[in-house]
Amino acid sequence: MKDHPIHEHHAHQHGANCGHPAVIHDGHTDYLHDGHLHHLHSDHVDEHQLSITTQNPAACTPTHRCDGHESGHRHGTNCGHQAVSHGDHVDYLVAGHLHFAHGAHCDDHGVLQLT
Ligand SMILES: [Zn+2]
Ligand SMILES: [Zn+2]
Ligand SMILES: [Zn+2]
Ligand SMILES: [Zn+2]
Ligand SMILES: [Zn+2]
Ligand SMILES: [Zn+2]
Ligand SMILES: [Zn+2]
């Protein structure tokens, strides 16, 4: 019985220097791949989801001041930051924490630690 979602048709082999950032998720290592967390599990790749937790809240933090990027930066496709799905939305990884583009400001959705 499979008790976790498996990423089908995953030809790419994640590993050191595969080009995908490795992050710490719940005490293990996952690879960020197109906004998904991929976990190597013996001969297949599990699809992990970053949940909304106290460590990674989906909070609005309009006063978040950050040196991660210039003020006025607009996150989006090809903005230079790694997209990460978080709960029901997409964040961007900026200087080791998650930014959610919320109008004119960025919300701080907590730390995502790179390995
Ligand atoms: Zn990879
Ligand atoms: Zn994981
Ligand atoms: Zn906000
Ligand atoms: Zn920030
Ligand atoms: Zn960005
Ligand atoms: Zn978020
Ligand atoms: Zn931002």
Side-chain angles (χ1 to χ4, degrees):
M1 285 292 280
K2 297 188 173 94
D3 60 351
H4 46 248
I6 291 175
H7 194 89
E8 303 289 350
H9 311 298
H10 194 266
H12 174 84
Q13 194 71 45
H14 291 301
N17 308 316
C18 76
H20 297 117
V23 297
I24 307 286
H25 173 228
D26 269 350
H28 57 260
T29 300
D30 289 337
Y31 291 90
L32 277 178
H33 189 180
D34 294 341
H36 302 140
L37 292 173
H38 282 181
H39 183 67
L40 303 188
H41 191 198
S42 60
D43 64 343
H44 60 270
V45 175
D46 291 346
E47 195 83 72
H48 282 187
Q49 176 68 28
L50 189 64
S51 313
I52 291 164
T53 60
T54 47
Q55 204 187 356
N56 292 113
C60 181
T61 62
T63 57
H64 182 56
R65 295 279 174 271
C66 187
D67 298 328
H69 59 64
E70 298 168 25
S71 62
H73 174 85
R74 291 275 169 183
H75 295 296
T77 317
N78 301 323
C79 76
H81 298 112
Q82 192 75 37
V84 183
S85 29
H86 177 215
D88 57 358
H89 59 269
V90 175
D91 291 338
Y92 293 87
L93 183 59
V94 177
H97 62 284
L98 297 171
H99 273 199
F100 177 63
H102 192 204
H105 65 264
C106 288
D107 295 338
D108 179 7
H109 284 184
V111 168
L112 186 63
Q113 201 186 335
L114 290 156
T115 62

